[in-house]
PDB file of all heavy atoms in Angstrom:
ATOM      1  N   LEU A 153       5.980  -7.161   6.028  1.00  0.00           N
ATOM      2  CA  LEU A 153       7.264  -7.161   5.332  1.00  0.00           C
ATOM      3  C   LEU A 153       8.306  -6.286   5.979  1.00  0.00           C
ATOM      4  O   LEU A 153       9.468  -6.550   5.988  1.00  0.00           O
ATOM      5  CB  LEU A 153       7.065  -6.695   3.822  1.00  0.00           C
ATOM      6  CG  LEU A 153       6.109  -7.549   3.018  1.00  0.00           C
ATOM      7  CD1 LEU A 153       6.054  -6.941   1.628  1.00  0.00           C
ATOM      8  CD2 LEU A 153       6.619  -8.950   2.982  1.00  0.00           C
ATOM      9  N   GLY A 154       7.852  -5.201   6.559  1.00  0.00           N
ATOM     10  CA  GLY A 154       8.758  -4.261   7.271  1.00  0.00           C
ATOM     11  C   GLY A 154       9.243  -3.137   6.396  1.00  0.00           C
ATOM     12  O   GLY A 154       9.523  -3.359   5.209  1.00  0.00           O
ATOM     13  N   PRO A 155       9.382  -1.981   6.914  1.00  0.00           N
ATOM     14  CA  PRO A 155       9.904  -0.880   6.178  1.00  0.00           C
ATOM     15  C   PRO A 155      11.210  -1.039   5.527  1.00  0.00           C
ATOM     16  O   PRO A 155      11.466  -0.560   4.441  1.00  0.00           O
ATOM     17  CB  PRO A 155       9.904   0.288   7.184  1.00  0.00           C
ATOM     18  CG  PRO A 155       8.963  -0.093   8.257  1.00  0.00           C
ATOM     19  CD  PRO A 155       8.992  -1.592   8.286  1.00  0.00           C
ATOM     20  N   ALA A 156      12.053  -1.823   6.175  1.00  0.00           N
ATOM     21  CA  ALA A 156      13.430  -2.031   5.635  1.00  0.00           C
ATOM     22  C   ALA A 156      13.313  -2.805   4.314  1.00  0.00           C
ATOM     23  O   ALA A 156      14.032  -2.513   3.364  1.00  0.00           O
ATOM     24  CB  ALA A 156      14.292  -2.815   6.583  1.00  0.00           C
ATOM     25  N   PHE A 157      12.423  -3.807   4.212  1.00  0.00           N
ATOM     26  CA  PHE A 157      12.212  -4.470   2.974  1.00  0.00           C
ATOM     27  C   PHE A 157      11.779  -3.590   1.875  1.00  0.00           C
ATOM     28  O   PHE A 157      12.367  -3.585   0.723  1.00  0.00           O
ATOM     29  CB  PHE A 157      11.223  -5.620   3.130  1.00  0.00           C
ATOM     30  CG  PHE A 157      10.780  -6.167   1.803  1.00  0.00           C
ATOM     31  CD1 PHE A 157      11.633  -7.003   1.092  1.00  0.00           C
ATOM     32  CD2 PHE A 157       9.534  -5.882   1.325  1.00  0.00           C
ATOM     33  CE1 PHE A 157      11.208  -7.454  -0.148  1.00  0.00           C
ATOM     34  CE2 PHE A 157       9.137  -6.327   0.055  1.00  0.00           C
ATOM     35  CZ  PHE A 157      10.010  -7.192  -0.624  1.00  0.00           C
ATOM     36  N   TRP A 158      10.827  -2.722   2.130  1.00  0.00           N
ATOM     37  CA  TRP A 158      10.295  -1.824   1.066  1.00  0.00           C
ATOM     38  C   TRP A 158      11.415  -0.824   0.654  1.00  0.00           C
ATOM     39  O   TRP A 158      11.543  -0.579  -0.556  1.00  0.00           O
ATOM     40  CB  TRP A 158       9.094  -1.070   1.596  1.00  0.00           C
ATOM     41  CG  TRP A 158       7.901  -1.970   1.819  1.00  0.00           C
ATOM     42  CD1 TRP A 158       7.420  -2.441   2.988  1.00  0.00           C
ATOM     43  CD2 TRP A 158       7.034  -2.476   0.817  1.00  0.00           C
ATOM     44  NE1 TRP A 158       6.349  -3.242   2.840  1.00  0.00           N
ATOM     45  CE2 TRP A 158       6.064  -3.279   1.493  1.00  0.00           C
ATOM     46  CE3 TRP A 158       6.955  -2.379  -0.578  1.00  0.00           C
ATOM     47  CZ2 TRP A 158       5.035  -3.881   0.812  1.00  0.00           C
ATOM     48  CZ3 TRP A 158       5.968  -3.078  -1.220  1.00  0.00           C
ATOM     49  CH2 TRP A 158       4.989  -3.778  -0.578  1.00  0.00           C
ATOM     50  N   ARG A 159      12.098  -0.371   1.592  1.00  0.00           N
ATOM     51  CA  ARG A 159      13.140   0.604   1.290  1.00  0.00           C
ATOM     52  C   ARG A 159      14.229   0.014   0.379  1.00  0.00           C
ATOM     53  O   ARG A 159      14.686   0.670  -0.522  1.00  0.00           O
ATOM     54  CB  ARG A 159      13.732   1.167   2.644  1.00  0.00           C
ATOM     55  CG  ARG A 159      14.538   2.461   2.393  1.00  0.00           C
ATOM     56  CD  ARG A 159      14.920   3.001   3.758  1.00  0.00           C
ATOM     57  NE  ARG A 159      13.761   3.518   4.482  1.00  0.00           N
ATOM     58  CZ  ARG A 159      13.235   2.982   5.564  1.00  0.00           C
ATOM     59  NH1 ARG A 159      13.770   1.912   6.094  1.00  0.00           N
ATOM     60  NH2 ARG A 159      12.143   3.495   6.099  1.00  0.00           N
ATOM     61  N   GLU A 160      14.594  -1.224   0.670  1.00  0.00           N
ATOM     62  CA  GLU A 160      15.607  -1.809  -0.137  1.00  0.00           C
ATOM     63  C   GLU A 160      15.058  -2.331  -1.439  1.00  0.00           C
ATOM     64  O   GLU A 160      15.661  -2.263  -2.509  1.00  0.00           O
ATOM     65  CB  GLU A 160      16.223  -3.086   0.637  1.00  0.00           C
ATOM     66  CG  GLU A 160      17.046  -2.598   1.817  1.00  0.00           C
ATOM     67  CD  GLU A 160      17.560  -3.760   2.655  1.00  0.00           C
ATOM     68  OE1 GLU A 160      17.469  -4.890   2.188  1.00  0.00           O
ATOM     69  OE2 GLU A 160      18.096  -3.472   3.746  1.00  0.00           O
ATOM     70  N   ALA A 161      13.760  -2.787  -1.396  1.00  0.00           N
ATOM     71  CA  ALA A 161      13.185  -3.279  -2.681  1.00  0.00           C
ATOM     72  C   ALA A 161      13.007  -2.249  -3.695  1.00  0.00           C
ATOM     73  O   ALA A 161      13.150  -2.467  -4.887  1.00  0.00           O
ATOM     74  CB  ALA A 161      11.735  -3.952  -2.389  1.00  0.00           C
ATOM     75  N   PHE A 162      12.653  -1.031  -3.245  1.00  0.00           N
ATOM     76  CA  PHE A 162      12.473   0.049  -4.198  1.00  0.00           C
ATOM     77  C   PHE A 162      13.648   1.046  -4.314  1.00  0.00           C
ATOM     78  O   PHE A 162      13.567   2.074  -4.887  1.00  0.00           O
ATOM     79  CB  PHE A 162      11.267   0.897  -3.744  1.00  0.00           C
ATOM     80  CG  PHE A 162      10.003   0.156  -3.944  1.00  0.00           C
ATOM     81  CD1 PHE A 162       9.121  -0.078  -2.891  1.00  0.00           C
ATOM     82  CD2 PHE A 162       9.550  -0.253  -5.201  1.00  0.00           C
ATOM     83  CE1 PHE A 162       8.009  -0.813  -2.974  1.00  0.00           C
ATOM     84  CE2 PHE A 162       8.362  -0.894  -5.379  1.00  0.00           C
ATOM     85  CZ  PHE A 162       7.582  -1.192  -4.308  1.00  0.00           C
ATOM     86  N   ALA A 163      14.754   0.636  -3.769  1.00  0.00           N
ATOM     87  CA  ALA A 163      15.967   1.485  -3.885  1.00  0.00           C
ATOM     88  C   ALA A 163      16.417   1.519  -5.314  1.00  0.00           C
ATOM     89  O   ALA A 163      16.582   0.501  -6.001  1.00  0.00           O
ATOM     90  CB  ALA A 163      17.088   0.964  -2.948  1.00  0.00           C
ATOM     91  N   ALA A 164      16.688   2.677  -5.814  1.00  0.00           N
ATOM     92  CA  ALA A 164      17.155   2.802  -7.218  1.00  0.00           C
ATOM     93  C   ALA A 164      18.750   3.000  -7.244  1.00  0.00           C
ATOM     94  O   ALA A 164      19.159   3.718  -6.354  1.00  0.00           O
ATOM     95  CB  ALA A 164      16.472   3.988  -7.933  1.00  0.00           C
ATOM     96  N   PRO A 165      19.465   2.371  -8.125  1.00  0.00           N
ATOM     97  CA  PRO A 165      18.949   1.517  -9.077  1.00  0.00           C
ATOM     98  C   PRO A 165      18.702   0.047  -8.511  1.00  0.00           C
ATOM     99  O   PRO A 165      19.544  -0.380  -7.712  1.00  0.00           O
ATOM    100  CB  PRO A 165      20.052   1.368 -10.142  1.00  0.00           C
ATOM    101  CG  PRO A 165      21.312   1.673  -9.374  1.00  0.00           C
ATOM    102  CD  PRO A 165      20.931   2.637  -8.250  1.00  0.00           C
ATOM    103  N   ALA A 166      17.634  -0.560  -8.894  1.00  0.00           N
ATOM    104  CA  ALA A 166      17.325  -1.922  -8.481  1.00  0.00           C
ATOM    105  C   ALA A 166      18.193  -2.925  -9.242  1.00  0.00           C
ATOM    106  O   ALA A 166      18.766  -2.552 -10.296  1.00  0.00           O
ATOM    107  CB  ALA A 166      15.910  -2.258  -8.664  1.00  0.00           C
ATOM    108  N   ARG A 167      18.300  -4.159  -8.763  1.00  0.00           N
ATOM    109  CA  ARG A 167      19.137  -5.142  -9.359  1.00  0.00           C
ATOM    110  C   ARG A 167      18.209  -5.968 -10.363  1.00  0.00           C
ATOM    111  O   ARG A 167      17.409  -6.757  -9.901  1.00  0.00           O
ATOM    112  CB  ARG A 167      19.734  -6.082  -8.342  1.00  0.00           C
ATOM    113  CG  ARG A 167      20.819  -7.040  -8.966  1.00  0.00           C
ATOM    114  CD  ARG A 167      21.399  -7.859  -7.848  1.00  0.00           C
ATOM    115  NE  ARG A 167      20.532  -8.949  -7.447  1.00  0.00           N
ATOM    116  CZ  ARG A 167      20.069  -9.068  -6.208  1.00  0.00           C
ATOM    117  NH1 ARG A 167      20.302  -8.174  -5.333  1.00  0.00           N
ATOM    118  NH2 ARG A 167      19.299 -10.091  -5.892  1.00  0.00           N
TER     119      ARG A 167
END
Side-chain angles (χ1 to χ4, degrees):
L153 298 179
F157 166 73
W158 292 102
R159 194 170 291 113
E160 292 176 10
F162 289 119
R167 187 177 78 247

